[in-house]
Protein backbone atom coordinates (compact mmCIF):
# COMPACT_ATOMS: atom_id res chain seq x y z
CA UNK A 1 0.00 0.00 0.00
CA UNK A 2 1.30 3.49 -0.87
CA UNK A 3 2.03 5.75 2.09
CA UNK A 4 1.62 9.53 1.82
CA UNK A 5 2.94 12.21 4.17
CA UNK A 6 0.85 15.30 4.82
CA UNK A 7 3.31 17.23 2.59
CA UNK A 8 2.95 14.87 -0.34
CA UNK A 9 -0.86 15.03 0.04
CA UNK A 10 -0.74 18.85 -0.07
CA UNK A 11 1.75 18.85 -2.99
CA UNK A 12 -0.39 16.46 -5.00
CA UNK A 13 -3.61 18.32 -4.24
CA UNK A 14 -2.00 21.53 -5.59
CA UNK A 15 -0.70 19.79 -8.72
CA UNK A 16 -4.18 18.44 -9.55
CA UNK A 17 -3.09 14.92 -8.44
CA UNK A 18 -0.98 14.61 -11.60
CA UNK A 19 1.96 13.02 -9.78
CA UNK A 20 0.01 10.35 -7.95
CA UNK A 21 0.78 6.85 -9.13
CA UNK A 22 -2.14 5.22 -10.93
CA UNK A 23 -3.89 2.42 -9.03
CA UNK A 24 -4.37 0.57 -12.34
CA UNK A 25 -3.15 1.13 -15.89
CA UNK A 26 -5.23 2.41 -18.81
CA UNK A 27 -3.85 0.21 -21.58
CA UNK A 28 -4.66 0.18 -25.28
CA UNK A 29 -6.64 -3.02 -25.94
CA UNK A 30 -4.70 -5.94 -27.45
CA UNK A 31 -5.98 -7.63 -30.58
CA UNK A 32 -6.84 -10.82 -28.71
CA UNK A 33 -7.38 -12.10 -25.16
CA UNK A 34 -7.93 -15.51 -23.61
CA UNK A 35 -10.88 -14.06 -21.71
CA UNK A 36 -12.85 -10.83 -22.13
CA UNK A 37 -15.12 -9.74 -19.29
CA UNK A 38 -17.82 -7.29 -20.39
CA UNK A 39 -18.81 -4.94 -17.55
CA UNK A 40 -16.47 -3.24 -15.10
CA UNK A 41 -18.75 -3.34 -12.07
CA UNK A 42 -17.85 -5.24 -8.92
CA UNK A 43 -18.86 -8.60 -10.41
CA UNK A 44 -16.83 -8.19 -13.60
CA UNK A 45 -13.76 -6.92 -11.75
CA UNK A 46 -13.97 -9.64 -9.08
CA UNK A 47 -14.25 -12.25 -11.84
CA UNK A 48 -11.11 -10.92 -13.53
CA UNK A 49 -9.28 -10.85 -10.20
CA UNK A 50 -10.17 -14.48 -9.30
CA UNK A 51 -9.44 -15.69 -12.86
CA UNK A 52 -5.90 -14.46 -12.33
CA UNK A 53 -5.49 -15.13 -8.60
CA UNK A 54 -7.12 -18.57 -8.42
CA UNK A 55 -6.77 -19.99 -11.94
CA UNK A 56 -3.64 -18.33 -13.31
CA UNK A 57 -5.59 -16.88 -16.26
CA UNK A 58 -4.05 -13.44 -16.75
CA UNK A 59 -4.48 -12.68 -20.46
CA UNK A 60 -7.77 -11.01 -19.58
CA UNK A 61 -9.46 -7.70 -20.41
CA UNK A 62 -12.36 -6.04 -18.60
CA UNK A 63 -14.29 -3.81 -21.01
CA UNK A 64 -16.39 -1.09 -19.37
CA UNK A 65 -18.54 1.31 -21.35
CA UNK A 66 -18.26 4.08 -18.74
CA UNK A 67 -15.99 4.20 -15.69
CA UNK A 68 -15.43 1.19 -13.43
CA UNK A 69 -17.93 0.95 -10.61
CA UNK A 70 -20.15 3.61 -12.23
CA UNK A 71 -23.13 1.25 -12.62
CA UNK A 72 -25.03 -0.39 -9.78
CA UNK A 73 -21.79 -1.05 -7.91
CA UNK A 74 -21.38 2.66 -7.20
CA UNK A 75 -25.14 3.27 -6.81
CA UNK A 76 -26.14 0.71 -4.21
CA UNK A 77 -26.79 1.18 -0.51
CA UNK A 78 -23.93 -1.19 0.33
CA UNK A 79 -25.83 -3.65 2.53
CA UNK A 80 -24.16 -7.02 3.05
CA UNK A 81 -25.81 -10.08 4.59
CA UNK A 82 -26.29 -13.78 3.89
CA UNK A 83 -29.71 -14.47 5.48
CA UNK A 84 -31.36 -16.20 2.50
CA UNK A 85 -34.00 -18.92 2.73
CA UNK A 86 -32.90 -21.78 0.48
CA UNK A 87 -29.79 -23.97 0.84
CA UNK A 88 -28.51 -23.04 -2.64
CA UNK A 89 -28.68 -19.33 -1.82
CA UNK A 90 -27.20 -19.76 1.66
CA UNK A 91 -24.17 -21.47 0.09
CA UNK A 92 -23.32 -18.68 -2.35
CA UNK A 93 -24.24 -15.67 -0.19
CA UNK A 94 -22.41 -17.09 2.84
CA UNK A 95 -19.34 -17.83 0.70
CA UNK A 96 -19.50 -14.19 -0.34
CA UNK A 97 -19.82 -12.88 3.21
CA UNK A 98 -16.85 -15.01 4.28
CA UNK A 99 -14.77 -13.61 1.39
CA UNK A 100 -15.86 -10.09 2.42
CA UNK A 101 -14.68 -10.74 5.97
CA UNK A 102 -11.08 -11.08 4.72
CA UNK A 103 -11.19 -8.89 1.63
CA UNK A 104 -9.43 -5.84 3.08
CA UNK A 105 -6.38 -7.92 3.94
CA UNK A 106 -6.48 -10.10 0.78
CA UNK A 107 -6.63 -7.05 -1.53
CA UNK A 108 -4.58 -4.84 0.81
CA UNK A 109 -7.26 -2.21 0.18
CA UNK A 110 -9.60 -0.96 2.89
CA UNK A 111 -13.16 -1.83 1.89
CA UNK A 112 -14.44 -0.39 5.19
CA UNK A 113 -16.48 -3.44 6.12
CA UNK A 114 -18.67 -2.62 9.11
CA UNK A 115 -20.49 -5.65 10.53
CA UNK A 116 -22.99 -3.55 12.45
CA UNK A 117 -25.92 -5.93 12.00
CA UNK A 118 -28.88 -6.00 9.61
CA UNK A 119 -32.33 -5.94 11.25
CA UNK A 120 -35.59 -6.85 9.49
CA UNK A 121 -38.75 -5.66 11.26
CA UNK A 122 -41.99 -7.64 11.70
CA UNK A 123 -45.21 -5.61 11.88
CA UNK A 124 -47.97 -8.23 12.06
CA UNK A 125 -48.62 -11.89 12.92
CA UNK A 126 -47.88 -13.02 9.38
CA UNK A 127 -44.48 -11.27 9.42
CA UNK A 128 -43.65 -12.93 12.76
CA UNK A 129 -44.51 -16.43 11.52
CA UNK A 130 -42.66 -15.96 8.26
CA UNK A 131 -39.65 -14.59 10.16
CA UNK A 132 -39.57 -17.52 12.54
CA UNK A 133 -39.59 -20.02 9.64
CA UNK A 134 -36.88 -18.02 7.88
CA UNK A 135 -34.60 -17.71 10.91
CA UNK A 136 -34.83 -21.49 11.52
CA UNK A 137 -33.94 -22.22 7.89
CA UNK A 138 -31.04 -19.75 7.95
CA UNK A 139 -29.63 -21.18 11.19
CA UNK A 140 -30.11 -24.68 9.80
CA UNK A 141 -27.59 -23.70 7.14
CA UNK A 142 -25.08 -22.60 9.76
CA UNK A 143 -25.64 -18.89 9.10
CA UNK A 144 -26.14 -16.55 12.07
CA UNK A 145 -29.64 -15.16 12.60
CA UNK A 146 -31.75 -14.44 15.66
CA UNK A 147 -35.15 -13.09 16.63
CA UNK A 148 -35.47 -9.96 18.76
CA UNK A 149 -38.32 -8.81 21.00
CA UNK A 150 -39.57 -5.20 20.79
CA UNK A 151 -37.63 -4.41 24.00
CA UNK A 152 -34.38 -5.76 22.49
CA UNK A 153 -35.05 -3.80 19.30
CA UNK A 154 -35.52 -0.57 21.26
CA UNK A 155 -32.27 -1.19 23.10
CA UNK A 156 -30.35 -1.60 19.84
CA UNK A 157 -32.11 1.22 17.96
CA UNK A 158 -33.49 3.73 20.46
CA UNK A 159 -34.64 6.14 17.72
CA UNK A 160 -37.21 3.63 16.39
CA UNK A 161 -40.80 4.30 17.37
CA UNK A 162 -41.84 1.03 19.03
CA UNK A 163 -45.17 2.36 20.34
CA UNK A 164 -47.95 -0.26 20.10
CA UNK A 165 -50.42 2.35 18.86
CA UNK A 166 -48.67 2.81 15.49
CA UNK A 167 -50.48 1.89 12.29
CA UNK A 168 -47.80 -0.79 11.75
CA UNK A 169 -46.53 -1.58 15.27
CA UNK A 170 -43.15 -3.28 15.61
CA UNK A 171 -43.81 -6.78 16.98
CA UNK A 172 -40.34 -8.26 16.55
CA UNK A 173 -37.36 -8.41 14.22
CA UNK A 174 -34.74 -10.74 12.87
CA UNK A 175 -31.09 -9.76 13.13
CA UNK A 176 -28.00 -10.97 11.34
CA UNK A 177 -25.18 -9.57 13.46
CA UNK A 178 -22.49 -10.40 10.86
CA UNK A 179 -24.40 -8.37 8.27
CA UNK A 180 -23.63 -4.70 7.72
CA UNK A 181 -22.18 -2.41 5.11
CA UNK A 182 -18.95 -1.89 3.14
CA UNK A 183 -17.68 0.94 0.98
CA UNK A 184 -18.98 -0.01 -2.49
CA UNK A 185 -16.46 2.01 -4.57
CA UNK A 186 -13.60 0.52 -2.57
CA UNK A 187 -14.75 -2.99 -3.47
CA UNK A 188 -14.57 -2.12 -7.18
CA UNK A 189 -11.27 -0.25 -6.82
CA UNK A 190 -9.69 -2.98 -4.69
CA UNK A 191 -10.54 -5.69 -7.19
CA UNK A 192 -9.44 -3.44 -10.09
CA UNK A 193 -6.06 -2.75 -8.52
CA UNK A 194 -5.62 -6.42 -7.62
CA UNK A 195 -6.52 -7.62 -11.13
CA UNK A 196 -4.29 -5.00 -12.76
CA UNK A 197 -1.36 -6.17 -10.63
CA UNK A 198 -1.77 -9.63 -12.21
CA UNK A 199 -1.65 -8.04 -15.69
CA UNK A 200 -5.38 -7.84 -16.41
CA UNK A 201 -6.18 -4.95 -18.81
CA UNK A 202 -8.97 -2.69 -17.52
CA UNK A 203 -10.33 -0.70 -20.44
CA UNK A 204 -12.80 2.05 -19.66
CA UNK A 205 -14.97 4.04 -22.09
CA UNK A 206 -15.20 0.94 -24.26
CA UNK A 207 -18.80 0.07 -25.13
CA UNK A 208 -19.44 -3.45 -26.43
CA UNK A 209 -21.83 -3.17 -29.35
CA UNK A 210 -21.72 -6.68 -30.80
CA UNK A 211 -20.81 -10.27 -29.93
CA UNK A 212 -19.62 -12.32 -32.90
CA UNK A 213 -19.78 -16.12 -33.20
CA UNK A 214 -18.07 -18.61 -35.48
CA UNK A 215 -19.67 -22.06 -35.79
CA UNK A 216 -21.69 -21.72 -32.57
CA UNK A 217 -18.67 -20.51 -30.60
CA UNK A 218 -17.92 -16.98 -29.44
CA UNK A 219 -15.07 -15.47 -31.49
CA UNK A 220 -14.83 -11.72 -30.89
CA UNK A 221 -16.55 -8.68 -29.48
CA UNK A 222 -17.22 -5.54 -31.43
CA UNK A 223 -16.57 -2.38 -29.41
CA UNK A 224 -16.48 1.37 -29.87
CA UNK A 225 -12.68 0.94 -29.83
CA UNK A 226 -12.72 -1.72 -32.58
CA UNK A 227 -13.11 -5.51 -32.71
CA UNK A 228 -11.25 -7.64 -30.12
CA UNK A 229 -10.85 -11.42 -30.45
CA UNK A 230 -11.44 -13.68 -27.45
CA UNK A 231 -11.42 -17.40 -26.72
CA UNK A 232 -13.97 -16.90 -23.94
CA UNK A 233 -16.30 -14.03 -23.02
CA UNK A 234 -17.93 -13.46 -19.60
CA UNK A 235 -20.78 -10.93 -19.38
CA UNK A 236 -21.51 -9.10 -16.10
CA UNK A 237 -23.53 -6.04 -17.08
CA UNK A 238 -26.44 -6.23 -14.56
CA UNK A 239 -29.44 -4.23 -15.90
CA UNK A 240 -28.15 -4.48 -19.48
CA UNK A 241 -27.84 -8.29 -19.52
CA UNK A 242 -30.79 -8.75 -21.90
CA UNK A 243 -29.24 -6.29 -24.37
CA UNK A 244 -25.99 -8.28 -24.44
CA UNK A 245 -27.87 -11.60 -24.71
CA UNK A 246 -29.70 -10.25 -27.74
CA UNK A 247 -26.33 -9.37 -29.31
CA UNK A 248 -25.38 -13.04 -28.88
CA UNK A 249 -28.66 -14.27 -30.38
CA UNK A 250 -30.65 -15.57 -27.38
CA UNK A 251 -33.11 -14.23 -24.81
CA UNK A 252 -32.88 -14.12 -21.01
CA UNK A 253 -35.73 -14.38 -18.47
CA UNK A 254 -34.67 -11.05 -16.96
CA UNK A 255 -36.60 -7.80 -16.44
CA UNK A 256 -34.80 -4.47 -16.02
CA UNK A 257 -36.21 -1.98 -13.50
CA UNK A 258 -35.03 1.24 -11.89
CA UNK A 259 -34.13 1.04 -8.20
CA UNK A 260 -33.48 4.29 -6.44
CA UNK A 261 -31.92 5.40 -3.18
CA UNK A 262 -31.17 8.67 -1.44
CA UNK A 263 -29.05 10.25 1.26
CA UNK A 264 -29.83 12.93 3.82
CA UNK A 265 -27.66 15.73 5.10
CA UNK A 266 -25.03 14.42 7.55
CA UNK A 267 -26.14 13.90 11.15
CA UNK A 268 -24.31 13.06 14.34
CA UNK A 269 -24.19 9.28 14.99
CA UNK A 270 -27.72 8.07 15.72
CA UNK A 271 -28.10 4.69 14.01
CA UNK A 272 -25.45 1.98 14.22
CA UNK A 273 -27.41 -0.90 12.69
CA UNK A 274 -29.12 -1.35 9.30
CA UNK A 275 -32.92 -1.31 9.72
CA UNK A 276 -35.24 -2.70 7.04
CA UNK A 277 -38.99 -3.07 6.81
CA UNK A 278 -40.44 -4.98 3.93
CA UNK A 279 -43.97 -4.25 5.17
CA UNK A 280 -43.85 -0.45 5.13
CA UNK A 281 -41.18 -0.56 2.39
CA UNK A 282 -38.18 1.38 3.54
CA UNK A 283 -34.67 0.68 4.85
CA UNK A 284 -32.08 2.95 6.38
CA UNK A 285 -28.52 2.97 7.66
CA UNK A 286 -26.11 5.75 8.60
CA UNK A 287 -22.96 6.23 6.56
CA UNK A 288 -19.54 6.96 8.02
CA UNK A 289 -20.05 10.56 6.92
CA UNK A 290 -23.25 10.73 8.99
CA UNK A 291 -25.74 10.70 6.10
CA UNK A 292 -28.85 8.57 6.37
CA UNK A 293 -28.77 6.16 3.42
CA UNK A 294 -32.38 5.39 2.53
CA UNK A 295 -34.01 3.09 -0.01
CA UNK A 296 -37.12 1.11 -0.83
CA UNK A 297 -38.52 -1.13 -3.57
CA UNK A 298 -38.10 -0.94 -7.33
CA UNK A 299 -40.08 1.32 -9.63
CA UNK A 300 -42.62 -1.06 -11.18
CA UNK A 301 -41.99 -0.05 -14.80
CA UNK A 302 -39.22 -1.38 -17.04
CA UNK A 303 -36.51 1.08 -17.97
CA UNK A 304 -32.85 1.50 -18.87
CA UNK A 305 -32.77 5.11 -17.61
CA UNK A 306 -30.82 5.39 -14.37
CA UNK A 307 -33.50 7.31 -12.46
CA UNK A 308 -36.81 6.55 -10.78
CA UNK A 309 -40.11 8.30 -10.10
CA UNK A 310 -41.35 10.64 -7.35
CA UNK A 311 -43.99 8.14 -6.17
CA UNK A 312 -41.41 5.77 -4.67
CA UNK A 313 -39.53 8.64 -3.02
CA UNK A 314 -42.72 9.97 -1.44
CA UNK A 315 -43.90 6.61 -0.10
CA UNK A 316 -40.52 5.67 1.37
CA UNK A 317 -40.24 9.05 3.07
CA UNK A 318 -43.61 8.57 4.77
CA UNK A 319 -42.58 5.03 5.81
CA UNK A 320 -39.28 6.33 7.21
CA UNK A 321 -40.97 9.02 9.26
CA UNK A 322 -43.50 6.50 10.54
CA UNK A 323 -40.66 4.31 11.85
CA UNK A 324 -38.41 7.18 12.96
CA UNK A 325 -40.51 10.30 13.73
CA UNK A 326 -37.25 11.94 14.86
CA UNK A 327 -36.10 12.08 11.19
CA UNK A 328 -39.07 14.20 10.07
CA UNK A 329 -37.04 17.43 9.90
CA UNK A 330 -33.95 15.91 8.27
CA UNK A 331 -33.28 17.33 4.80
CA UNK A 332 -32.57 15.08 1.84
CA UNK A 333 -29.36 15.82 -0.02
CA UNK A 334 -29.62 13.79 -3.21
CA UNK A 335 -31.34 10.85 -4.90
CA UNK A 336 -30.17 8.57 -7.71
CA UNK A 337 -31.15 5.36 -9.45
CA UNK A 338 -29.63 2.25 -10.97
CA UNK A 339 -31.03 -0.41 -13.28
CA UNK A 340 -31.48 -3.81 -11.67
CA UNK A 341 -31.92 -7.12 -13.49
CA UNK A 342 -34.58 -9.34 -11.97
CA UNK A 343 -35.28 -13.03 -12.69
CA UNK A 344 -38.73 -14.57 -12.10
CA UNK A 345 -37.45 -16.31 -8.93
CA UNK A 346 -35.39 -13.33 -7.68
CA UNK A 347 -32.24 -15.49 -7.87
CA UNK A 348 -29.22 -14.86 -10.08
CA UNK A 349 -27.95 -16.48 -13.27
CA UNK A 350 -24.27 -17.60 -13.19
CA UNK A 351 -24.10 -19.85 -16.16
CA UNK A 352 -22.85 -21.20 -19.43
CA UNK A 353 -25.09 -20.17 -22.34
CA UNK A 354 -26.25 -21.67 -25.65
CA UNK A 355 -23.14 -20.09 -27.24
CA UNK A 356 -19.91 -22.04 -26.57
CA UNK A 357 -17.35 -19.96 -24.69
CA UNK A 358 -19.92 -17.34 -23.65
CA UNK A 359 -20.94 -17.08 -19.98
CA UNK A 360 -23.49 -14.84 -18.22
CA UNK A 361 -23.50 -13.43 -14.70
CA UNK A 362 -26.72 -11.48 -14.08
CA UNK A 363 -30.12 -11.45 -12.37
CA UNK A 364 -28.77 -10.28 -8.99
CA UNK A 365 -31.58 -7.75 -8.98
CA UNK A 366 -31.73 -5.54 -5.92
CA UNK A 367 -29.20 -7.62 -3.96
CA UNK A 368 -25.98 -8.28 -5.82
CA UNK A 369 -23.56 -6.03 -3.97
CA UNK A 370 -23.39 -8.46 -1.06
CA UNK A 371 -22.69 -11.23 -3.58
CA UNK A 372 -19.81 -9.51 -5.39
CA UNK A 373 -16.89 -11.61 -4.05
CA UNK A 374 -18.75 -14.94 -4.11
CA UNK A 375 -20.19 -14.29 -7.55
CA UNK A 376 -16.82 -13.29 -9.01
CA UNK A 377 -15.15 -16.30 -7.39
CA UNK A 378 -17.73 -18.77 -8.78
CA UNK A 379 -17.94 -17.09 -12.19
CA UNK A 380 -14.16 -17.22 -12.57
CA UNK A 381 -14.30 -20.97 -11.87
CA UNK A 382 -17.12 -21.41 -14.44
CA UNK A 383 -15.14 -19.57 -17.12
CA UNK A 384 -11.76 -21.17 -16.34
CA UNK A 385 -13.10 -24.74 -16.18
CA UNK A 386 -15.95 -24.33 -18.68
CA UNK A 387 -18.29 -25.79 -16.08
CA UNK A 388 -20.06 -24.33 -13.05
CA UNK A 389 -18.70 -24.79 -9.55
CA UNK A 390 -21.14 -26.80 -7.35
CA UNK A 391 -21.90 -23.52 -5.59
CA UNK A 392 -23.33 -21.91 -8.72
CA UNK A 393 -24.63 -24.89 -10.69
CA UNK A 394 -28.15 -24.41 -9.19
CA UNK A 395 -28.07 -20.92 -10.73
CA UNK A 396 -27.62 -22.14 -14.31
CA UNK A 397 -29.90 -21.04 -17.13
CA UNK A 398 -31.36 -24.53 -17.47
CA UNK A 399 -33.38 -24.05 -14.26
CA UNK A 400 -35.84 -22.08 -16.38
CA UNK A 401 -36.36 -25.24 -18.47
CA UNK A 402 -36.29 -27.82 -15.63
CA UNK A 403 -38.44 -25.64 -13.36
CA UNK A 404 -35.96 -25.93 -10.45
CA UNK A 405 -36.45 -22.28 -9.52
CA UNK A 406 -35.03 -20.87 -6.26
CA UNK A 407 -37.68 -18.47 -5.03
CA UNK A 408 -35.97 -15.76 -3.00
CA UNK A 409 -38.50 -12.93 -3.38
CA UNK A 410 -39.01 -12.98 0.39
CA UNK A 411 -35.29 -12.57 1.08
CA UNK A 412 -34.90 -9.67 -1.30
CA UNK A 413 -35.40 -7.16 1.53
CA UNK A 414 -36.91 -4.65 -0.89
CA UNK A 415 -40.13 -5.28 -2.81
CA UNK A 416 -39.95 -6.48 -6.38
P1 LIG B 1 -22.82 -3.05 -12.31
O1 LIG B 1 -22.10 -2.46 -11.17
O2 LIG B 1 -24.04 -2.34 -12.79
O3 LIG B 1 -21.77 -3.20 -13.46
C1 LIG B 1 -22.13 -3.51 -14.78
C2 LIG B 1 -21.29 -2.66 -15.68
O4 LIG B 1 -21.51 -3.05 -17.02
C3 LIG B 1 -21.67 -1.18 -15.60
O5 LIG B 1 -20.57 -0.45 -15.10
C4 LIG B 1 -22.05 -0.83 -17.02
O6 LIG B 1 -21.62 0.46 -17.42
C5 LIG B 1 -21.36 -1.91 -17.82
N1 LIG B 1 -21.95 -2.16 -19.13
C6 LIG B 1 -23.27 -2.28 -19.45
N2 LIG B 1 -23.41 -2.50 -20.77
C7 LIG B 1 -22.17 -2.55 -21.30
C8 LIG B 1 -21.64 -2.72 -22.61
N3 LIG B 1 -22.47 -2.90 -23.66
N4 LIG B 1 -20.29 -2.69 -22.80
C9 LIG B 1 -19.45 -2.49 -21.74
N5 LIG B 1 -19.89 -2.31 -20.49
C10 LIG B 1 -21.22 -2.33 -20.26
N6 LIG B 1 -27.26 -4.95 -3.47
C11 LIG B 1 -26.93 -5.34 -2.20
O7 LIG B 1 -26.46 -6.45 -2.00
N7 LIG B 1 -27.12 -4.51 -1.14
C12 LIG B 1 -27.68 -3.27 -1.28
O8 LIG B 1 -27.82 -2.52 -0.31
C13 LIG B 1 -28.08 -2.88 -2.58
N8 LIG B 1 -28.68 -1.67 -2.76
C14 LIG B 1 -28.97 -1.24 -4.01
C15 LIG B 1 -29.50 0.04 -4.16
C16 LIG B 1 -29.70 0.55 -5.43
C17 LIG B 1 -30.26 1.94 -5.57
C18 LIG B 1 -29.36 -0.23 -6.57
C19 LIG B 1 -29.56 0.33 -7.94
C20 LIG B 1 -28.87 -1.53 -6.43
C21 LIG B 1 -28.68 -2.05 -5.15
N9 LIG B 1 -28.14 -3.33 -4.95
C22 LIG B 1 -27.82 -3.75 -3.68
C23 LIG B 1 -27.88 -4.21 -6.09
C24 LIG B 1 -26.42 -4.16 -6.49
O9 LIG B 1 -26.00 -2.82 -6.65
C25 LIG B 1 -26.18 -4.91 -7.80
O10 LIG B 1 -26.78 -6.18 -7.78
C26 LIG B 1 -24.68 -5.11 -8.05
O11 LIG B 1 -23.97 -3.92 -7.78
C27 LIG B 1 -24.46 -5.54 -9.47
O12 LIG B 1 -23.09 -5.47 -9.75
P2 LIG B 1 -22.56 -5.73 -11.23
O13 LIG B 1 -21.10 -5.63 -11.20
O14 LIG B 1 -23.21 -6.96 -11.75
O15 LIG B 1 -23.25 -4.56 -12.05
O1 LIG C 1 -30.18 -7.00 -0.76
O2 LIG C 1 -29.93 -6.34 1.30
C1 LIG C 1 -30.22 -6.14 0.14
C2 LIG C 1 -30.65 -4.80 -0.25
C3 LIG C 1 -30.88 -3.78 0.58
C4 LIG C 1 -31.27 -2.73 -0.20
C5 LIG C 1 -31.26 -3.12 -1.48
N1 LIG C 1 -30.88 -4.41 -1.51
Amino acid sequence: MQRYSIFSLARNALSGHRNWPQAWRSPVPRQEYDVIIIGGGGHGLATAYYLAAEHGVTNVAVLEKGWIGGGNTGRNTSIIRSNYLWDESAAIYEKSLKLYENLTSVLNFNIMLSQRGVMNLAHNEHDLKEMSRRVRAIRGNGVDSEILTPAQIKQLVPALNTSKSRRYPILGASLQRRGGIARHDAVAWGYARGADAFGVDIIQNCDVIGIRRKGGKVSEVETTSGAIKAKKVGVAVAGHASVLAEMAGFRLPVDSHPLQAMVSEPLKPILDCVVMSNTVHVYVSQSDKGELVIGAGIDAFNSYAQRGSWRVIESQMSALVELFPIFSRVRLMRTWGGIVDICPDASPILSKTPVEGLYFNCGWGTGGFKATPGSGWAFAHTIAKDEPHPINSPFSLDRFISGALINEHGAAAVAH
Side-chain angles (χ1 to χ4, degrees), residues 12 38 106 138 142 163 212 271 276 283 316 338 341 345 347 397 410:
N12 281 303
I38 307 175
V106 169
I138 293 165
S163 151
R212 297 205 188 121
L271 182 62
M276 318 185 85
Y283 63 88
Q316 67 182 280
D341 42 333
D345 57 357
S347 281
L397 263 175

Side-chain angles (χ1 to χ4, degrees), residues 379-396:
F379 199 43
H381 175 104
T382 307
I383 296 171
K385 309 277 184 214
D386 192 36
E387 64 181 24
H389 187 275
I391 224 173
N392 66 298
S393 63
F395 300 103
S396 296

Side-chain angles (χ1 to χ4, degrees), residues 77 79 81 84 276 283 366-367 370 412-414:
T77 42
I79 297 168
R81 57 191 174 85
Y84 279 68
M276 318 185 85
Y283 63 88
T366 58
K370 68 173 82 65
V414 297

